[in-house]
Amino acid sequence: MKYFKIFLLAILAQCSFNAFALDEIVKKQVYELPLLTTVGGEKIKNIKVGYETYGQLNEKGDNAILICHFFSGTSHAAGKYTPNDAGPGYWDSIIGPGKPLDTNKYFIVSSDSLVNLNVKDPNVTTTGPASINPDTGKPYGMSFPILNTQDLIHVQKELSTSLGIKKFAAVAGLSMGSYQALDWAASYPNMVERVIAVIPGGLESNAFTIETAQMWANPILLDANWNRGNYYDSNDKPIRGLENALQLTTINSRNPGWAERLFGRKFTIADKSPEQSWDNTFAIQDAITKAGAGRAKISDANHFLYLTKIIQLYRIGNANTVEEGIKPIKAKVMFVPASSDVLFFPSYSKNASEILKKNGIKSEIVEIPGDGGHIDGITDIAKVGENIRTFLSR
């Protein structure tokens, strides 16, 4: 149990090990968009997404920074909702007065994505398969339109316009959010001065990433209770498949060095060896299983599937080629891979940076040191905080 508690805090990334620094309690707000026409030409009515802001927008509307969250993340990037919260948002170590994303200087916006995974979290507002279709009065299920990154950022664009934002000093995103940050620069080049792409997947999802996302989806698709997404009115939900899918995303987001350091070959219960019974497990098995079960309680299986599809479809600018997609970019780009990442390897950043440079786009790389794997982009972002501060000053 000791190992699980330590592990779960890191996986959820809802704690910061730095002092809570924001001066105010964060208020979750909701943005409503009456109609979204997707890239695929489908129409979605009554879009709702939650968002948070930190700092103040200046009169010119050009001191804003947008944060795009990771696959299983939310808009809760910094601060606390109540003084009694266990911990602040996932990037609180770099967001706040005097921090690299300085709220004395910048107006920072973070929104829940469409088809956000955490649809059962009371602090999350999103529109997706679990939402009620106003035309039928029933949940969309798999009739919800397939989305791509462009659809996510279009909603963010409408939100930013409603807030009076004219220009972003930077758009920052981590993991799946890096896709959105890069797409912002390609789709709205006159609005974006800089891109900070943390633990990024490159300029398009390669074959390895496409199949990895499919492996995440398969436990849900193979769960008989999924019933092709028609489970909202059933007492039997695809919980087992969702838990297994979340176990896969959890271990794939880590590194062997981290697993060995934290768990090694320790048993879940010291005197109960796995060789004695099928019921006895290693500590890492217990921790990963419980992490998946914990996350499944606030997640939705169909939303998970839609997110994996967005990952698979990604190519910058939704263009026919990467070279075509990057042409509009005017922003300076900073790639921030994690040195131990075995999900989105550091080589993805290096390849992407070289492509941008060859096409006359300013690009640089700084790595997050450590052995935590992909998750270091969440938990250890402060290690490159000064690099981020310097990049924003140029």
Side-chain angles (χ1 to χ4, degrees):
M1 182 60 70
K2 171 180 71 174
Y3 300 108
F4 171 63
K5 288 180 179 178
I6 295 172
F7 174 72
L8 189 57
L9 288 175
I11 290 299
L12 299 182
Q14 296 299 309
C15 297
S16 170
F17 298 103
N18 297 281
F20 176 66
L22 285 179
D23 294 330
E24 300 177 359
I25 296 298
V26 174
K27 179 183 178 182
K28 176 58 73 71
Q29 302 177 72
V30 176
Y31 172 69
E32 298 185 24
L33 180 65
L35 181 68
L36 171 69
T37 301
T38 70
V39 171
E42 301 286 340
K43 297 186 184 301
I44 308 173
K45 300 175 182 177
N46 303 340
I47 294 287
K48 293 183 180 181
V49 293
Y51 72 97
E52 300 177 12
T53 65
Y54 326 98
Q56 298 294 322
L57 185 65
N58 64 17
E59 291 184 3
K60 293 182 179 180
D62 63 357
N63 69 327
I65 293 177
L66 177 67
I67 308 294
C68 305
H69 64 71
F70 49 100
F71 179 90
S72 60
T74 74
S75 60
H76 195 38
K80 291 184 177 182
Y81 295 128
T82 72
N84 297 323
D85 286 354
Y90 63 86
W91 262 8
D92 192 80
S93 62
I94 61 167
I95 298 174
K99 294 183 180 183
L101 303 186
D102 191 345
T103 51
N104 290 330
K105 183 177 181 179
Y106 300 109
F107 175 64
I108 299 172
V109 181
S110 178
S111 71
D112 296 326
S113 66
L114 289 176
V115 298
N116 189 283
L117 180 61
N118 309 279
V119 68
K120 298 175 186 176
D121 183 337
N123 290 314
V124 170
T125 300
T126 187
T127 300
S131 303
I132 299 298
N133 181 343
D135 292 335
T136 66
K138 298 179 179 180
Y140 283 98
M142 300 304 281
S143 71
F144 195 79
I146 291 175
L147 306 179
N148 68 26
T149 307
Q150 293 278 307
D151 297 312
L152 305 190
I153 70 168
H154 181 75
V155 175
Q156 294 165 2
K157 170 63 167 60
E158 295 297 319
L159 166 62
S160 64
T161 299
S162 75
L163 294 174
I165 296 170
K166 302 293 192 299
K167 196 167 192 176
F168 284 108
V171 178
L174 62 165
S175 190
M176 185 175 175
S178 74
Y179 288 165
Q180 296 165 56
L182 289 162
D183 246 11
W184 259 95
S187 301
Y188 305 104
N190 294 324
M191 277 193 72
V192 182
E193 291 189 53
R194 301 170 190 84
V195 170
I196 304 171
V198 180
I199 47 174
L203 302 175
E204 66 178 347
S205 289
N206 60 25
F208 190 83
T209 298
I210 291 169
E211 180 55 22
T212 298
Q214 189 60 47
M215 289 175 63
W216 293 354
N218 284 341
I220 294 171
L221 299 175
L222 294 172
D223 188 326
N225 290 335
W226 177 60
N227 191 30
R228 300 190 65 81
N230 300 312
Y231 56 79
Y232 293 108
D233 294 330
S234 172
N235 292 325
D236 299 318
K237 305 292 195 295
I239 297 300
R240 182 61 62 85
L242 180 58
E243 290 178 352
N244 289 339
L246 288 163
Q247 288 176 35
L248 281 172
T249 63
T250 299
I251 194 62
N252 286 169
S253 297
R254 284 302 191 175
N255 178 278
W258 164 87
E260 189 61 26
R261 172 171 54 80
L262 189 59
F263 298 101
R265 291 178 59 83
K266 297 181 180 72
F267 302 156
T268 301
I269 301 175
D271 61 348
K272 293 189 176 182
S273 168
E275 69 182 354
Q276 297 170 339
S277 169
W278 286 101
D279 295 326
N280 298 343
T281 59
F282 289 97
I284 191 168
Q285 292 175 279
D286 183 62
I288 295 288
T289 298
K290 288 177 177 175
R295 293 309 305 268
K297 291 178 181 178
I298 58 172
S299 303
D300 178 80
N302 284 340
H303 280 234
F304 187 103
L305 295 177
Y306 273 77
L307 289 170
T308 59
K309 177 67 77 171
I310 291 170
I311 289 175
Q312 291 173 321
L313 293 174
Y314 179 69
R315 175 181 284 150
I316 190 166
N318 197 39
N320 292 322
T321 65
V322 165
E323 288 72 19
E324 180 183 339
I326 65 175
K327 281 182 181 179
I329 295 178
K330 298 178 181 179
K332 296 185 287 288
V333 180
M334 183 184 196
F335 291 99
V336 188
S339 61
S340 60
D341 197 339
V342 291
L343 178 62
F344 286 168
F345 299 89
S347 60
Y348 293 2
S349 292
K350 294 173 184 176
N351 292 340
S353 183
E354 286 303 312
I355 291 172
L356 294 183
K357 288 178 180 178
K358 287 179 181 178
N359 286 272
I361 300 167
K362 293 181 179 179
S363 175
E364 61 186 86
I365 301 175
V366 58
E367 284 194 8
I368 303 169
D371 68 355
H374 192 65
I375 297 296
D376 277 350
I378 305 170
T379 59
D380 285 15
I381 189 64
K383 289 181 178 179
V384 295
E386 291 310 307
N387 301 87
I388 292 172
R389 189 195 303 274
T390 300
F391 179 68
L392 288 171
S393 69
R394 292 201 292 269

